[in-house]
């Protein structure tokens, strides 16, 4: 540990190394050698690099919690139920016996450490010391429990543990009181401390003050009774099967764990931790689910996949496909057993692949050791695979008629057990779900029909029967419905089928002689064909699923593996399948021990930190019993399988002969033997071991499958013919298991252990003995002890300095990783008992690294805030600068465009003027027409009124005549009045017509002037285009004329000369005399040039001057005409004059620059030696070197 001390003469690193060496010289137990693993990538601290001045490395201290643990550990060494065989002095007297595994899935053969009790004086002395210390500590604890009247655990006569209160003690006996009030005397050794009531039901077992068997069981039982089926044992999640539906799953709980709103132990928490580790650290995690058969491993795997699918939604519904695979694999690979209604009869590893964005992009499924024998035989009370019952119950009528499907009770492969249905399960509905899953995976209807056809074929093969003929026990196939249906489903002839099932071809030289089979041989041949078809169909289905999930596509290197394999099994009669399953569980238990018990302690000892080893029961002896090359159980089995006359008795005898000395093996009677596994002793019956290991398939059956018309059967037969060498089932499974272990070794494991609370599968019942046995077998108690006393967070010096080094305020610290790491810890006042410094790593107690992460996150957020403010300020400044530059550029462009009316930006202005003029003309025309219509209407109405008045006068006159009034002639005054009115109306009409004609003439004049203006604009545009092309020609000619001079982008590279007087024109325009002088100078300068046909650029400048002068004159005249003409509100003469003046000023400035540059170029042409005389000294130096 580190502590502050004055500066010493030597470096603090040298002191630390000396202290470690002195500590290693003290008498202590020799640590057992563990399997090797890859060396750490962190470098060792430099030997000569000194640590900070204000600290030194002192003696390694022990914290308060660690001291309490060590003081009470020796007293708890002899607790009953804590470990199987562990004496109170097991940590102080032990010796190491090294055995060597001949094979290992980890690619090496390391020495295996086996701890045993040792004798001798040293051991006796250590034992006496430990026992004395233990007695003193436990005596103090008893006094404390008596004084505080606390509860303790007492073992009763029936073997059960009960909470009691200590009344008094005398010697080795204690008086205790039961909750009912009874007082009795018990041995003090049978008392164990109990945890206070405040710790009842804690989520993590490492929070318990006393870690003993009764305390752990009481905590698990308390949580189980309150429907809290999940608990943590350090890094391991414990899940107790509730045997009922629990309402703690679904989208609401997924959201809670996804947003970190819930932190209680849960399978979702394990899946979330795996996903976060993959995204954060870039590793490939694995979730390893272990437990006995019926503990709920399959459901846990499905829930973990459900959470990952919801957490990382993929594209194209890939997450739905991943979830649908569970339905398919359960139908084809699960069956009802005596211990589980949905027992997995195969092992699977599901790898879910993720993209760089954390989305699911595919998956891959690996399967191991399908129990093929269940197709043809199983015990009473069990069932075959679910798919057969689902097909017989849920198949539609059309499919049943086509495949000749009957009820399950009519098939001999299914009616061997009376258990044809499972309570609470509707096989017809499950079949509908299966078809939906097959559709979701992408298996077409044609393949589905072929799939169901082969399933029906397997069922009908079981109904094929044989009858004996003659006295030699030879058999013939009974020609009944089963044979006809089988031949139809296979697509072969009945005669070929009968020959394949009832005869064998015995080779005789180059020919072969057919031989009839016995009844047992024919039955075995039929069963072997059925098992082969079903196993091949299962493998083909898994291959199709992998193709649908994207196997073979480009993976991103990130994946989460979920392992669900058959749990440990022990029945009344255990055969070859149980042996393989239990062997696989032994290997998984070793993987568990390796990562949680061995490698952790190996890290501590290899890195030189203070640590006392925790003893645990290893299963390497059992693995050695199975895997030893020459005298292992599997090697003996393969050897006997290759002998033609071997039987189960010879196999049992050879096992007894070679394995009897092994402590894990015990020979039995009638060909049986027992193996002491990590989970208990299992008795195996060797009947059928050799046949199942050989897994024979007659060549006649292979040829029959090859001749069938079914494409799948031909595919299965070709796969067998392509094999170069047929391996035994045990050897194949061993290879698959080694490959699986190597694959898991490359991942970051997350362990989940499922526990079965009772054998009756009843909800709410908690069998303490059964649960305790499962906890002991998998080493959960030892894991909790290590997790509570160890340093769960380990990080290399380099990683720690890279991650937290920026938090260091003192920049004078040496920059090696170790110095930076220690300085950071001192700066944040991390207590020395909460961490340890190793050679390559830092080791932290639980929660310490989280506090540093919180500080780091807070500082990073502050840094990000400052950076965001600075970046915002910088972005705004850049934006304002760009905006100002853009404004200048826009102003320049607008000026350029304003000087050229024909430019694209001038077109909208012309169109606007044209629209305004057209609109004004239309308005005037409409007004004139409206005025004309009003006048004409008024005149017409007035004329009509006059005529009507005249008619009225005539009528009145006639009336007067008729009424005998004296006739009077129309007076001349009346006639003259009428004539005058008519003349006036005609004059008004002629006047309006003249006005209308004048308006038409004015309109025509405006149209003519507008057309002339447009013509001038077009002419100016054409002239500008010619000038642009002329400028381009000038640049190209200038480049050709002066090959030794660089081109200038801002001036015309034409060689002409001009005097200083001509350049000082001021604001006036260059006249013709100036241009003529320029022309003469240019001609003189060009007199000495080679006649290469190049144009005189000065003459072009003169021509350009003349053209520009004509353009300006023409524009000025146009403005004068517009000003002297009729007033047009849409055209402003003053504005046009200002624009013309601006264009002239701009052109004048450009022209002056071009004249000045031309003078320089002409001068260089006249005096070519001037440039060489002006060459700098470094140019001359380079010339000399050249």
């Amino acid at each position: 540990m580190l502590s502050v001390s004055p500066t010493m003469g030597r470096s603090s690193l040298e002191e630390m190394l000396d202290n470690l060496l002195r500590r290693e010289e003290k008498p202590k137990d020799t640590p057992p050698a563990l399997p090797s693993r890859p060396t750490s990538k962190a470098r060792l601290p430099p030997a000569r690099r000194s640590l900070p001045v204000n600290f030194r490395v002192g003696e390694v201290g022990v914290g308060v919690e660690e001291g309490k643990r060590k003081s009470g550990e020796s007293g708890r060494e002899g607790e009953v139920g804590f470990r199987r065989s562990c004496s109170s002095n097991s940590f102080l007297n032990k010796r190491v016996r090294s055995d060597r595994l001949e094979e290992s899935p980890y690619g090496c053969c390391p020495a295996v450490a086996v701890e045993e009790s040792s004798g001798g004086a040293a051991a006796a002395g250590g034992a006496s010391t430990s026992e004395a210390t233990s007695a003193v500590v436990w005596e103090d604890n008893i006094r404390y429990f008596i004084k505080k009247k606390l509860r303790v655990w007492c073992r009763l006569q029936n073997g059960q543990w009960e909470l009691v209160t200590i009344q008094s003690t005398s010697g080795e006996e204690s008086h205790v009181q039961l909750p009912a009030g009874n007082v009795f005397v018990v041995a003090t050794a049978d008392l164990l401390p109990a945890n206070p009531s405040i710790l009842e039901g804690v989520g993590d077992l490492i929070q318990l003050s006393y870690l003993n068997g009764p305390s752990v069981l009481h905590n698990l039982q308390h949580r189980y009774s309150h429907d809290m089926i999940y608990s943590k044992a350090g890094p391991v999640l414990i899940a107790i099967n509730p045997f009922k539906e629990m309402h703690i799953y679904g989208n609401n709980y997924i959201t809670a764990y996804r947003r970190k709103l819930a932190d209680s132990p849960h399978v979702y928490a394990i899946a979330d931790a795996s996903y976060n580790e993959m995204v954060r650290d870039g590793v490939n995690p694995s979730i390893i689910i272990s437990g006995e058969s019926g503990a709920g491993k399959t459901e846990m795997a499905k829930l973990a996949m459900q959470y990952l699918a919801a957490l990382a939604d993929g594209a194209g519904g890939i997450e739905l496909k991943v979830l649908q695979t569970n339905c398919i694999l359960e139908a084809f690979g699960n069956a009802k057993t005596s211990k589980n209604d949905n027992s997995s009869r195969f092992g699977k590893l599901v790898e879910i692949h993720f993209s760089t964005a954390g989305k699911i992009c595919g998956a891959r499924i690996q399967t191991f050791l399908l129990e093929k024998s269940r197709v043809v035989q199983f015990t009473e009370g069990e069932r075959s695979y679910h798919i057969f019952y689902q097909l017989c119950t849920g198949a539609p009528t059309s499919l049943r008629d086509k495949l000749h499907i009957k009820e399950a009770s009519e098939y001999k492969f299914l009616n061997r057990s009376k258990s044809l249905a499972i309570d609470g399960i509707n096989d017809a509905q499950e079949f509908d779900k299966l078809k939906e899953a097959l559709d979701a995976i992408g298996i077409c209807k044609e393949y589905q029909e072929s799939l169901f056809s082969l399933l029906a074929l397997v069922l009908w093969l079981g109904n094929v029967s044989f009858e004996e003929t003659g006295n030699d026990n030879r058999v013939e196939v009974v020609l009944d419905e089963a044979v006809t249906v089988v031949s139809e489903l296979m697509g072969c002839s009945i005669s070929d089928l009968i020959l394949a099932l009832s005869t064998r071809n015995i080779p005789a030289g180059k020919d072969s002689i057919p031989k009839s089979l016995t009844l047992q041989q024919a039955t075995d041949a039929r069963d072997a064909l059925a098992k082969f078809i079903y196993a091949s169909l299962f493998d083909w289905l898994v291959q199709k699923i992998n193709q649908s999930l994207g196997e073979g596509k480009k993976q991103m290197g990130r994946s989460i593996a979920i392992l669900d394999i058959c749990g440990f099994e022990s029945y009344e009669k255990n055969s070859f399948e149980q042996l393989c399953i239990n062997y696989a569980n032994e290997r998984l238990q070793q993987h568990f021990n390796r990562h949680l018990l061995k490698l952790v302690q190996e890290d501590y000892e290899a890195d030189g930190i203070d640590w006392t080893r925790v003893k645990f029961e290893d299963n390497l002896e059992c693995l050695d019993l199975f895997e030893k090359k020459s005298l292992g159980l599997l090697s003996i089995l393969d050897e006997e399988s290759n002998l033609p006359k071997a039987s189960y008795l010879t196999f049992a005898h050879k096992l007894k002969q070679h394995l009897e000395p092994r402590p894990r093996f015990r020979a039995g009677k009638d060909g049986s033997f027992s193996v002491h596994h990590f989970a208990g002793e299992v008795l195996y019956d060797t009947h059928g071991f050799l046949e199942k290991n050989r897994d024979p398939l007659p060549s006649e059956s292979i040829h029959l499958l090859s001749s069938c018309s079914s494409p799948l059967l031909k595919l299965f037969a070709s796969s067998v013919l392509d094999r170069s060498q047929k391996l035994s089932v045990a050897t194949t499974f061993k290879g698959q298991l080694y490959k699986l272990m190597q694959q898991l070794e490359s991942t970051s494991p997350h362990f989940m252990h499922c526990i079965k609370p009772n054998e009756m599968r009843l909800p709410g019942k908690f069998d303490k003995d059964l649960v305790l046995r499962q906890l002991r077998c998998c080493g959960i108690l030892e894991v909790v002890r290590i997790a509570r006393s160890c340093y769960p967070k380990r990080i290399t010096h380099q990683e720690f300095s890279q991650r937290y080094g920026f938090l260091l305020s003192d920049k004078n610290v040496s920059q090696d990783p170790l110095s930076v790491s220690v300085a950071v810890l001192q700066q944040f006042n991390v207590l020395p008992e909460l961490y340890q410094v190793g050679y390559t790593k830092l080791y932290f107690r639980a929660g310490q690294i989280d506090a540093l992460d919180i500080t780091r996150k807070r500082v990073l957020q502050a840094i990000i805030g400052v950076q965001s403010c600075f970046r915002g300020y910088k972005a705004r400044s850049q934006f304002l600068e760009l905006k100002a530059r853009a404004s200048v550029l826009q102003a320049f462009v607008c000026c350029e465009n304003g000087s050229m009316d024909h430019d694209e930006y001038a077109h909208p202005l012309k169109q606007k003027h044209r629209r305004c003029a057209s609109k004004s003309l239309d308005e005037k025309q409409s007004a004139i027409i409206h005025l004309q219509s009003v006048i004409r209407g008024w005149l017409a109405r007035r004329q009509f009124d006059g005529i009507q008045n005249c008619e009225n006068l005539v009528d009145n006159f006639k009336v007067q005549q008729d009424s005998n009034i004296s006739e009077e002639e129309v007076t001349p005054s009346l006639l003259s009045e009428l004539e005058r009115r008519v003349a006036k109306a005609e004059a008004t009409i002629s006047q309006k017509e003249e006005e209308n004609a004048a308006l038409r003439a004015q309109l025509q004049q405006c149209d003519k002037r507008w057309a002339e203006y447009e013509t001038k604009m077009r002419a100016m545009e054409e002239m500008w285009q010619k000038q642009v092309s002329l400028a381009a020609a000038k640049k190209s000619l200038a480049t050709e004329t002066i090959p030794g001079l660089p081109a200038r982008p801002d001036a015309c590279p034409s060689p002409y000369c001009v005097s200083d007087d001509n350049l000082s024109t001021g604001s006036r325009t260059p006249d013709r005399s100036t241009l003529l002088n320029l022309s003469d100078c240019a001609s003189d300068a060009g007199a000495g040039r080679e006649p290469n046909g190049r144009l005189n650029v000065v003459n072009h400048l003169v021509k350009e001057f003349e053209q520009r002068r004509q353009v300006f004159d023409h524009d000025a005249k146009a403005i004068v005409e517009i000003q002297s003409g009729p007033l047009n509100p849409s055209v402003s003469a003053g504005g046009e004059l200002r624009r013309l003046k601006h264009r002239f000023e701009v052109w004048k400035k450009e022209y002056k620059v071009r004249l000045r540059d031309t003078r320089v170029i002409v001068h260089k042409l006249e005096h070519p030696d001037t440039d060489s005389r002006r060459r700098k000294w470094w140019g001359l130096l380079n010339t000399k070197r050249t």
Side-chain angles (χ1 to χ4, degrees), residues 78-118:
E79 294 170 3
V80 178
F82 188 73
R83 288 188 309 222
R84 285 180 173 176
S85 58
C86 177
S87 60
S88 61
N89 57 353
S90 60
F91 287 103
L92 298 176
N93 51 353
K94 55 187 175 182
R95 64 184 176 86
V96 178
R97 178 175 60 84
S98 289
D99 293 340
R100 182 167 296 275
L101 286 180
E102 296 185 0
E103 289 184 286
S104 173
Y106 308 113
C108 60
C109 303
V112 179
V114 181
E115 297 179 354
E116 295 180 352
S117 299
S118 62

Side-chain angles (χ1 to χ4, degrees), residues 1009-1069:
R1009 289 181 178 178
W1010 179 254
E1012 293 176 357
Y1013 182 75
E1014 288 184 343
T1015 303
K1016 293 178 181 179
M1017 295 294 292
R1018 294 191 190 96
M1020 292 173 65
E1021 183 176 0
E1022 293 176 357
M1023 187 178 299
W1024 171 249
Q1025 293 177 354
K1026 292 178 180 180
Q1027 292 175 0
V1028 171
S1029 61
L1030 183 60
K1034 290 175 184 178
K1035 293 182 180 179
S1036 62
L1037 289 175
T1039 306
E1040 297 176 358
T1041 305
I1042 313 171
L1045 296 178
R1048 290 174 54 91
D1050 55 348
C1052 180
S1054 300
Y1056 56 87
C1057 60
V1058 62
S1059 63
D1060 294 337
D1061 297 334
N1062 292 334
L1063 288 175
S1064 60
T1065 55
S1067 61
R1068 64 186 181 85
T1069 309

Side-chain angles (χ1 to χ4, degrees), residues 612-661:
T612 302
R613 291 188 60 85
V614 175
K615 182 180 177 181
F616 62 92
E617 186 173 355
D618 206 350
N619 66 335
L620 284 175
E621 286 187 350
C622 188
L623 286 176
D624 187 47
L625 176 68
F626 277 90
E627 298 174 350
K628 198 168 184 179
K629 263 190 176 180
S630 57
L631 297 178
L633 195 153
L634 298 181
S635 62
I636 295 175
L637 176 60
D638 286 342
E639 182 182 351
E640 286 295 305
S641 299
N642 294 328
L643 299 178
K645 296 184 179 181
S647 64
Y648 73 95
L649 292 176
T650 59
F651 170 61
H653 177 72
K654 185 170 289 189
L655 288 178
K656 181 179 180 180
Q657 180 182 357
H658 294 286
L659 303 181
E660 184 69 28

Side-chain angles (χ1 to χ4, degrees), residues 105 368 563 565 580-588 623 627 634 730-744:
F368 313 97
L563 178 64
I565 205 165
C580 293
I581 290 172
N582 294 339
Y583 164 57
N585 282 271
E586 287 284 354
R587 178 49 70 183
L588 287 179
L623 286 176
E627 298 174 350
L634 298 181
T731 303
T732 303
F733 180 62
K734 180 181 176 181
Q736 292 178 348
L737 195 58
Y738 272 36
K739 183 179 179 181
L740 172 64
M741 291 297 105
Q742 293 173 356
Q743 187 172 354
L744 293 178

